Amino acid sequence: MTHKRRVVRWILWSVMALVAVSLVLAAIVAIPILTHSDAGPAEPVTAETEDPSTASTRASDGRTRTLSVFAEDGTTPADLSAVSPGERFVVKGTGFDPSLGVYIAVCKDPGDPKVKPSPCLGGIPEDAMVEKQPADDNREFIESTWITDNWAWRGFATRGFDDADAGEFTAYLLIPSEASESLDCTVERCAIVSRNDHTALSDRAQDVLVDITYKKR
């Protein structure tokens, strides 16, 4: 009987230990989300040279974030005046806060920096969990990308930051079909967008929009 009690007691202690560890891990993940202080909205920064493939914004955290879209070679500025589904672009960001994850996708431009760019074509971000790239040097072009260095989410995200100190990242974007059930980019104004991931979803500080126009069929 004494042996059985010891076994039951050991099982109970083990279960309690597992529950305690789970609660601690849940708190570590949840507390930064619940205590996050918004730095948005972000105001557009006017560039000295007009380049429609690049946009910059500045938020109250003092960061200037720049989103640049290039052709598939990664060096030629992209022509976004008449894009077609299936085109491939390399999207590069700099100045972003690496403590926060970002989504990159084609989304509706709300025309107001206080409003989240949404809805988006190609899915945000659950599709990224299915289509995630196995390595950061993999140039697989997909319709939406989730970038984060957060240890709790890195295993689910598409890519990490290229240079965390500089807030630099690279996304390989496959232009999705121009319309879905929730958005038609032949009717609505759309853009290639960066925005905070679910850990700071209401914070508009990392919203940067580069306008695109779909080719008329």
Side-chain angles (χ1 to χ4, degrees):
M1 182 66 87
T2 301
H3 176 70
K4 289 184 178 180
R5 287 179 178 176
R6 287 177 179 175
V7 171
V8 171
R9 189 178 302 169
W10 181 85
I11 292 173
L12 288 174
W13 277 108
S14 298
V15 171
M16 291 175 64
L18 288 173
V19 170
V21 170
S22 298
L23 290 173
V24 169
L25 291 175
I28 291 174
V29 171
I31 288 175
I33 298 175
L34 297 174
T35 59
H36 174 76
S37 179
D38 290 357
E43 297 297 329
V45 175
T46 303
E48 294 181 3
T49 303
E50 186 79 16
D51 182 357
S53 66
T54 294
S56 297
T57 62
R58 183 177 294 115
S60 63
D61 59 3
R63 287 178 174 269
T64 297
R65 296 166 173 86
T66 299
L67 198 67
S68 300
V69 185
F70 299 90
E72 188 175 352
D73 61 12
T75 58
T76 305
D79 180 1
L80 304 175
S81 62
V83 303
S84 299
E87 281 194 73
R88 297 181 173 190
F89 295 117
V90 178
V91 183
K92 297 183 180 181
T94 185
F96 286 75
D97 184 350
S99 69
L100 300 171
V102 292
Y103 301 144
I104 308 298
V106 175
C107 306
K108 177 182 177 181
D109 182 348
D112 185 343
K114 296 179 182 179
V115 178
K116 178 177 68 176
S118 179
C120 300
L121 300 173
I124 285 241
E126 56 272 3
D127 290 350
M129 296 184 187
V130 177
E131 300 172 342
K132 81 184 186 78
Q133 296 163 248
D136 281 354
D137 59 355
N138 189 315
R139 288 173 56 91
E140 181 184 358
F141 288 80
I142 56 177
E143 295 180 349
S144 63
T145 297
W146 178 11
I147 296 166
T148 185
D149 277 352
N150 187 300
W151 66 270
W153 307 109
R154 185 65 189 91
F156 300 101
T158 317
R159 307 181 65 82
F161 281 83
D162 300 328
D163 183 339
D165 292 337
E168 295 180 354
F169 62 78
T170 304
Y172 300 98
L173 184 66
L174 180 70
I175 295 297
S177 178
E178 60 268 55
S180 66
E181 292 182 0
S182 58
L183 176 62
D184 186 344
C185 284
T186 65
V187 177
E188 303 281 1
R189 183 177 178 180
C190 293
I192 294 174
V193 169
S194 67
R195 75 182 204 203
N196 275 317
D197 68 8
H198 63 283
T199 62
L201 201 56
S202 65
D203 187 356
R204 309 269 55 84
Q206 304 213 104
D207 289 0
V208 186
L209 290 76
V210 179
D211 290 336
I212 68 168
T213 302
Y214 275 84
K215 183 184 296 183
K216 294 182 179 180
R217 296 190 179 185

